Protein backbone atom coordinates (compact mmCIF):
# COMPACT_ATOMS: atom_id res chain seq x y z
CA UNK A 1 0.00 0.00 0.00
CA UNK A 2 1.37 3.43 -0.94
CA UNK A 3 -0.66 6.14 0.79
CA UNK A 4 0.53 9.32 2.49
CA UNK A 5 -1.36 12.10 4.29
CA UNK A 6 0.30 15.44 4.99
CA UNK A 7 -0.67 18.81 6.40
CA UNK A 8 1.77 21.63 5.86
CA UNK A 9 2.32 25.15 4.55
CA UNK A 10 3.23 26.00 0.98
CA UNK A 11 6.80 27.32 0.76
CA UNK A 12 6.07 29.36 -2.39
CA UNK A 13 3.17 30.26 -4.66
CA UNK A 14 2.33 27.25 -6.87
CA UNK A 15 2.75 27.82 -10.60
CA UNK A 16 0.56 26.13 -13.20
CA UNK A 17 2.53 24.56 -16.07
CA UNK A 18 1.62 22.34 -19.01
CA UNK A 19 3.30 19.33 -20.58
CA UNK A 20 4.04 19.35 -24.32
CA UNK A 21 0.74 17.56 -24.84
CA UNK A 22 -1.14 20.26 -22.89
CA UNK A 23 -1.75 18.46 -19.58
CA UNK A 24 -1.82 20.89 -16.64
CA UNK A 25 0.44 20.23 -13.66
CA UNK A 26 2.12 21.98 -10.76
CA UNK A 27 5.13 21.18 -8.60
CA UNK A 28 5.56 22.81 -5.20
CA UNK A 29 6.80 22.02 -1.73
CA UNK A 30 5.21 22.15 1.68
CA UNK A 31 6.80 22.51 5.10
CA UNK A 32 5.48 19.85 7.48
CA UNK A 33 6.19 20.41 11.18
CA UNK A 34 7.75 17.53 13.07
CA UNK A 35 5.75 16.30 16.07
CA UNK A 36 8.63 15.97 18.51
CA UNK A 37 10.63 18.95 19.75
CA UNK A 38 13.61 18.42 22.06
CA UNK A 39 13.58 20.57 25.16
CA UNK A 40 15.41 23.84 24.50
CA UNK A 41 15.30 23.46 20.70
CA UNK A 42 13.10 25.11 18.12
CA UNK A 43 10.41 23.28 16.17
CA UNK A 44 11.72 21.66 12.99
CA UNK A 45 10.02 20.94 9.67
CA UNK A 46 10.48 18.58 6.75
CA UNK A 47 10.13 19.98 3.23
CA UNK A 48 8.15 17.65 0.97
CA UNK A 49 7.91 18.00 -2.82
CA UNK A 50 4.37 17.67 -4.19
CA UNK A 51 3.10 17.13 -7.76
CA UNK A 52 -0.52 17.65 -8.81
CA UNK A 53 -2.08 17.04 -12.23
CA UNK A 54 -4.97 18.39 -14.29
CA UNK A 55 -7.96 19.87 -12.41
CA UNK A 56 -6.25 19.32 -9.07
CA UNK A 57 -3.27 21.41 -10.22
CA UNK A 58 -5.56 24.16 -11.49
CA UNK A 59 -7.45 24.14 -8.18
CA UNK A 60 -4.26 24.44 -6.12
CA UNK A 61 -2.85 27.25 -8.24
CA UNK A 62 -6.14 29.11 -8.08
CA UNK A 63 -6.88 28.92 -4.34
CA UNK A 64 -3.57 28.40 -2.51
CA UNK A 65 -0.53 30.62 -2.05
CA UNK A 66 2.71 30.80 -0.14
CA UNK A 67 2.18 30.21 3.58
CA UNK A 68 -1.30 28.69 3.30
CA UNK A 69 -1.97 25.41 5.12
CA UNK A 70 -2.96 22.54 2.88
CA UNK A 71 -3.91 18.90 3.51
CA UNK A 72 -2.77 16.42 0.90
CA UNK A 73 -3.45 12.71 0.44
CA UNK A 74 -1.42 11.00 -2.22
CA UNK A 75 1.20 8.48 -3.22
CA UNK A 76 4.97 8.55 -2.88
CA UNK A 77 6.80 8.42 -6.20
CA UNK A 78 10.54 7.91 -6.54
CA UNK A 79 12.78 8.17 -9.55
CA UNK A 80 16.28 8.92 -10.73
CA UNK A 81 18.09 10.84 -13.44
CA UNK A 82 21.62 11.79 -14.44
CA UNK A 83 22.48 15.47 -13.99
CA UNK A 84 24.53 17.56 -16.44
CA UNK A 85 27.75 16.55 -14.64
CA UNK A 86 27.02 12.83 -15.02
CA UNK A 87 26.01 12.28 -11.38
CA UNK A 88 23.04 10.06 -10.63
CA UNK A 89 20.34 11.93 -8.69
CA UNK A 90 17.31 10.49 -6.95
CA UNK A 91 13.88 12.06 -6.63
CA UNK A 92 11.20 11.70 -3.97
CA UNK A 93 7.83 13.39 -4.31
CA UNK A 94 4.19 12.97 -3.37
CA UNK A 95 1.63 12.86 -6.20
CA UNK A 96 -1.52 14.44 -4.79
CA UNK A 97 -4.76 12.47 -5.07
CA UNK A 98 -6.88 14.71 -2.79
CA UNK A 99 -6.36 18.26 -1.56
CA UNK A 100 -8.23 20.05 1.23
CA UNK A 101 -8.32 23.51 2.76
CA UNK A 102 -7.00 23.67 6.34
CA UNK A 103 -7.54 27.26 7.39
CA UNK A 104 -10.40 29.48 8.35
CA UNK A 105 -11.55 31.98 5.78
CA UNK A 106 -11.26 34.65 8.50
CA UNK A 107 -7.81 33.71 9.84
CA UNK A 108 -5.16 36.40 9.64
CA UNK A 109 -3.04 34.99 6.82
CA UNK A 110 -5.63 33.00 4.91
CA UNK A 111 -8.57 33.35 2.59
CA UNK A 112 -9.56 29.73 2.78
CA UNK A 113 -12.27 27.60 4.24
CA UNK A 114 -12.34 25.93 7.61
CA UNK A 115 -11.30 22.27 7.69
CA UNK A 116 -14.92 21.38 8.50
CA UNK A 117 -15.88 22.82 5.10
CA UNK A 118 -13.27 20.97 3.09
CA UNK A 119 -13.29 20.42 -0.62
CA UNK A 120 -11.96 17.22 -2.15
CA UNK A 121 -10.76 18.12 -5.60
CA UNK A 122 -10.80 14.57 -6.90
CA UNK A 123 -12.02 11.21 -5.67
CA UNK A 124 -8.94 9.29 -4.50
CA UNK A 125 -10.07 6.20 -6.40
CA UNK A 126 -10.13 7.95 -9.77
CA UNK A 127 -6.50 7.22 -10.73
CA UNK A 128 -5.30 8.30 -14.20
CA UNK A 129 -3.20 11.26 -12.96
CA UNK A 130 -6.22 12.97 -11.45
CA UNK A 131 -8.65 12.78 -14.34
CA UNK A 132 -12.07 12.98 -12.74
CA UNK A 133 -15.51 14.15 -13.72
CA UNK A 134 -16.31 14.90 -10.06
CA UNK A 135 -14.32 18.16 -9.91
CA UNK A 136 -16.53 21.21 -9.57
CA UNK A 137 -15.13 24.49 -10.92
CA UNK A 138 -15.74 27.57 -8.77
CA UNK A 139 -16.13 30.75 -10.87
CA UNK A 140 -13.39 33.40 -10.54
CA UNK A 141 -15.86 36.24 -10.05
CA UNK A 142 -17.33 34.84 -6.84
CA UNK A 143 -16.03 34.41 -3.34
CA UNK A 144 -15.51 30.88 -2.11
CA UNK A 145 -18.91 29.27 -1.48
CA UNK A 146 -18.49 28.64 2.24
Amino acid sequence: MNNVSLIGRLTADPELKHTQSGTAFTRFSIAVDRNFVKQGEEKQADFINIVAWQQRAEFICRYFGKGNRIAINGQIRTGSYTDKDGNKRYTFEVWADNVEFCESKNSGNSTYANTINTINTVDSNSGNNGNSDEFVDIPNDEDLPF
Side-chain angles (χ1 to χ4, degrees):
M1 180 183 308
N2 183 352
N3 188 18
V4 62
S5 296
L6 301 167
I7 295 178
R9 294 194 181 275
L10 276 77
T11 61
D13 289 334
E15 183 179 333
L16 189 65
K17 297 181 181 182
H18 292 84
T19 64
Q20 288 181 351
S21 64
T23 303
F25 74 97
T26 186
R27 279 192 156 90
F28 58 95
S29 65
I30 61 172
V32 178
D33 289 333
R34 292 185 181 172
N35 289 334
F36 180 76
V37 179
K38 290 183 182 177
Q39 188 172 8
E41 291 186 8
E42 290 188 31
K43 199 173 225 181
Q44 294 186 4
D46 292 301
F47 296 88
I48 311 293
N49 295 323
I50 310 293
V51 177
W53 294 92
Q54 299 179 347
Q55 296 97 338
R56 191 174 305 104
E58 293 168 359
F59 177 82
I60 292 167
C61 291
R62 188 177 208 178
Y63 293 110
F64 291 90
K66 180 179 179 177
N68 292 130
R69 282 186 80 202
I70 188 170
I72 297 172
N73 288 42
Q75 303 171 33
I76 295 172
R77 299 281 178 111
T78 61
S80 64
Y81 66 94
T82 304
D83 69 13
K84 63 182 179 180
D85 298 324
N87 299 313
K88 190 158 189 165
R89 302 288 181 182
Y90 296 92
T91 61
F92 172 95
E93 54 196 14
V94 172
W95 282 28
D97 290 328
N98 291 312
V99 177
E100 297 181 6
F101 293 111
C102 285
E103 292 184 305
S104 169
K105 184 175 180 179
N106 297 325
S107 69
N109 65 349
S110 172
T111 58
Y112 303 104
N114 192 324
T115 304
I116 296 169
N117 297 317
T118 58
I119 292 179
N120 290 324
T121 59
V122 178
D123 177 15
S124 63
N125 296 325
S126 66
N128 195 12
N129 288 341
N131 188 12
S132 173
D133 295 330
E134 294 183 32
F135 180 80
V136 176
D137 194 19
I138 300 172
N140 265 342
D141 58 345
E142 295 181 25
D143 198 1
L144 294 175
F146 27 79

